[in-house]
Amino acid sequence: MTKPSVRRQNRSKCCDEDIVLRRLRRKLTTVCVATTGLILTVLTVICLLISHSEIRSQEYASFLSGLNTIYQNLQQQTSLSHTWIRQIEQNYQCSIRILDNGEKLFFQTISEDDITASLMAQAQAEALAQGFDLSNTSYSGTLARHLEFTMKVRVLDSDQDTASVQASASGHTSLTPSRTCYVSAAFVPRSGVLSVLIVHSLSSMHRRIMRQSLLFLLADLAAWLLLSVFFWHFIARVLRPIRENREKQAQFIASASHELRSPLTVILSNTAAVKSGVLPCDSHFLNIIEAEGNRMSRLISDMLQLAGTDSQTWNLSPSEIEMDTLLLQIWEDFEPQAIARNLKWEISLPENISPRCVCDAERIHQLLGILIDNAFCYTPAGGRVCLALDFPESTAVSLSTKKIGGSVTNTRSVESAGILFIQVIDNGPGIPDEEKAAVFERFHRLDRSRKDKSHFGLGLSIAREIVLLHHGNITVSDTPGGGTTFTLTLPLQ
């Protein structure tokens, strides 16, 4: 398969993945908005019902309070004027019919329109049905007797419209259309007996409830809209690591394919040349195949290690080790290689006794081997590479002597938990500042044109994974005077 076709296939795969992520984003946004919105709507409805109940309770309490005032005034006033009754109707949003010994007051007979008369007739009939006969003039009590109830008004829509026009023209606001009214029927003792019928329209309360319901509805719609915008962007941020991980995986596969193809091409081309008789089958040819096969083996091993960390199947075997002893062993292991490369290979250990560290000695050896191998490869002949160990003074270690049987042994004890610093220092060409943030990325190499193909750009990625498994940290900085310093920070426990 040619490279352009591979690129087209990768682009097609990326497009398919983008489509899948977009669909997932839409579905997650829909589910989150629907779930949160429904909960919000249910809570809004509950709050609205409670608020409506409070409004009705306040309206009824206000109606009862107004009745007490009206009945007290009716008992105390010596004469009833048309102006006073109209003022009471305006103040308490009600319509009043007063019967003096069973007869309507004269001015009420003149001013009462058909709609008001219809309402009063319905209210009087409803009061009679509940045992309160306003036409009875034989009431002999000394205190006012009254009955309150709620009445469903039977008014045609055309009549309601007519009532609205008449009320607007006359300034009489008590008869604005409403399907429900509060009614009070009473006997008020005076020189004679006053039969009083008071009808309080609930239209203003209904308008208030409607306005409040509309505001709640608009608030809910705005909340749904805001939730949609929020979750659309929030889900995008949640899915961003997945998208970036997919992109990194695609880049990793492309880079790994390229790196594997190079030694494989060399092996296949040399094998074909030998088969065709162009090249003899000698030791030089076999050495080339062996070298390229070893390169492929190292690359596959590195990729398998990274795959193990990605799938979280890379287990550690921690144990308590003496870090200075481990560093001395590593220094001795790399000493022949340093001599062969004509490098000054040094080790720096603290004068105080170093504390024991709980870690996987094999993995730490592998990690430091990667850092040291990189330093050897990039440091020119005659250069200097140093392996250093340090720990803060607060990490106190005491040395005690114990006699067990017939022998004397020295033991160490750490008084407080702390951290260790391990550095690999070289005076090579160094790493540019713009490259420092990318040195731990997979398949990243500072000089892609180097002839030394033993490094594939995976070593520092593996080193970082090992550090993270130990809950430590690794950083890169410039060596004073030139070069690179890798600093490894490990917790003691």
Side-chain angles (χ1 to χ4, degrees):
M1 184 180 292
T2 61
K3 290 185 178 180
S5 63
V6 172
R7 294 194 190 98
R8 285 194 297 270
Q9 185 177 2
N10 290 336
R11 283 197 297 269
S12 176
K13 184 177 180 181
C14 291
C15 291
D16 292 341
E17 291 176 350
D18 289 340
I19 293 173
V20 171
L21 288 176
R22 282 197 296 269
R23 289 176 180 173
L24 179 60
R25 182 183 180 185
R26 285 195 295 269
K27 289 181 180 179
L28 288 177
T29 301
T30 303
V31 170
C32 292
V33 171
T35 304
T36 311
L38 287 175
I39 294 174
L40 179 64
T41 302
V42 170
L43 293 177
T44 302
V45 170
I46 293 174
C47 293
L48 194 61
L49 292 176
I50 294 174
S51 178
H52 289 177
S53 176
E54 290 292 329
I55 291 175
R56 291 187 176 92
S57 298
Q58 292 174 5
E59 187 76 15
Y60 189 68
S62 176
F63 172 66
L64 294 180
S65 176
L67 291 180
N68 292 330
T69 303
I70 292 172
Y71 292 147
Q72 288 177 7
N73 288 335
L74 287 175
Q75 275 188 298
Q76 294 172 2
Q77 291 211 13
T78 56
S79 63
L80 299 176
S81 66
H82 172 74
T83 304
W84 180 82
I85 293 176
R86 286 298 184 217
Q87 187 65 40
I88 290 294
E89 289 179 335
Q90 291 288 340
N91 291 341
Y92 295 101
Q93 295 292 304
C94 62
S95 294
I96 301 177
R97 173 182 283 186
I98 299 176
L99 303 177
D100 188 2
N101 293 319
E103 298 292 334
K104 287 194 297 184
L105 298 181
F106 176 73
F107 61 83
Q108 286 191 327
T109 303
I110 297 175
S111 62
E112 196 173 72
D113 55 56
D114 294 338
I115 300 300
T116 304
S118 174
L119 284 173
M120 291 300 177
Q122 292 180 46
Q124 189 170 349
E126 186 69 24
L128 180 61
Q130 298 193 32
F132 206 97
D133 186 6
L134 290 174
S135 62
N136 183 8
T137 59
S138 60
Y139 179 71
S140 59
T142 57
L143 298 176
R145 175 191 168 204
H146 52 90
L147 169 70
E148 286 76 40
F149 55 88
T150 301
M151 180 182 71
K152 297 290 184 179
V153 181
R154 300 181 298 277
V155 181
L156 298 177
D157 291 339
S158 58
D159 293 338
Q160 289 180 356
D161 295 338
T162 304
S164 298
V165 173
Q166 293 175 351
S168 176
S170 64
H172 192 273
T173 60
S174 62
L175 289 180
T176 50
S178 174
R179 293 293 183 185
T180 309
C181 293
Y182 290 150
V183 180
S184 177
F187 291 120
V188 179
R190 288 170 56 94
S191 56
V193 177
L194 294 180
S195 302
V196 183
L197 189 64
I198 300 175
V199 178
H200 173 65
S201 173
L202 299 181
S203 57
S204 60
M205 183 191 73
H206 291 160
R207 285 194 299 269
R208 182 181 173 188
I209 289 176
M210 288 299 296
R211 283 196 301 268
Q212 189 181 68
S213 301
L214 181 61
L215 289 176
F216 272 75
L217 175 61
L218 294 176
D220 257 5
L221 292 176
W224 277 75
L225 179 61
L226 291 176
L227 284 173
S228 301
V229 174
F230 169 75
F231 278 114
W232 179 256
H233 293 285
F234 177 74
I235 296 299
R237 291 180 63 88
V238 171
L239 295 179
R240 187 179 301 167
I242 299 177
R243 185 186 299 275
E244 293 175 353
N245 187 45
R246 285 178 174 270
E247 292 175 354
K248 289 181 180 179
Q249 286 181 354
Q251 294 173 0
F252 179 81
I253 293 172
S255 301
S257 301
H258 174 72
E259 295 290 349
L260 285 171
R261 188 181 295 111
S262 299
L264 186 60
T265 301
V266 174
I267 293 174
L268 294 177
S269 61
N270 280 271
T271 304
V274 170
K275 284 185 175 181
S276 62
V278 176
L279 292 177
C281 183
D282 55 10
S283 59
H284 176 70
F285 163 74
L286 295 177
N287 290 336
I288 292 175
I289 291 181
E290 183 181 11
E292 295 301 323
N294 290 332
R295 284 190 62 216
M296 291 183 65
S297 176
R298 286 194 301 272
L299 177 58
I300 293 172
S301 177
D302 290 345
M303 289 192 297
L304 287 175
Q305 290 191 59
L306 288 174
T309 59
D310 291 340
S311 60
Q312 299 181 350
T313 58
W314 201 4
N315 296 323
L316 296 179
S317 300
S319 61
E320 194 177 71
I321 65 170
E322 297 175 0
M323 190 58 69
D324 50 359
T325 303
L326 177 61
L327 294 191
L328 280 172
Q329 179 184 347
I330 295 174
W331 181 82
E332 292 175 355
D333 292 342
F334 281 88
E335 187 176 16
Q337 187 176 343
I339 294 173
R341 292 176 177 266
N342 192 22
L343 297 173
K344 296 179 181 178
W345 177 223
E346 302 173 357
I347 185 169
S348 174
L349 300 176
E351 294 181 359
N352 298 330
I353 302 172
S354 62
R356 284 192 173 96
C357 179
V358 179
C359 61
D360 189 329
E362 182 179 351
R363 295 300 183 190
I364 297 299
H365 193 295
Q366 179 186 6
L367 187 161
L368 294 175
I370 293 170
L371 299 180
I372 294 168
D373 189 50
N374 274 351
F376 282 3
C377 290
Y378 284 94
T379 304
R384 171 181 171 270
V385 180
C386 179
L387 179 62
L389 172 66
D390 194 10
F391 54 87
E393 294 181 358
S394 59
T395 305
V397 180
S398 60
L399 182 66
S400 60
T401 303
K402 291 184 179 179
K403 187 173 182 180
I404 303 176
S407 61
V408 177
T409 59
N410 293 328
T411 61
R412 306 179 184 192
S413 62
V414 181
E415 295 181 3
S416 62
I419 55 176
L420 288 178
F421 297 101
I422 304 174
Q423 292 183 315
V424 177
I425 308 166
D426 67 63
N427 62 351
I431 300 175
D433 291 338
E434 61 272 12
E435 295 279 351
K436 285 186 174 67
V439 293
F440 297 104
E441 294 180 1
R442 299 176 183 184
F443 290 107
H444 179 82
R445 289 186 294 196
L446 295 179
D447 184 6
R448 298 183 182 275
S449 62
R450 290 175 63 239
K451 295 181 179 180
D452 183 7
K453 299 299 183 180
S454 59
H455 292 84
F456 302 99
L458 295 178
L460 291 179
S461 299
I462 296 174
R464 181 182 60 180
E465 298 296 337
I466 295 175
V467 172
L468 294 178
L469 286 174
H470 284 85
H471 305 288
N473 187 31
I474 185 170
T475 58
V476 58
S477 59
D478 295 329
T479 303
T484 303
T485 299
F486 284 92
T487 302
L488 172 64
T489 305
L490 287 176
L492 292 178
Q493 297 180 355

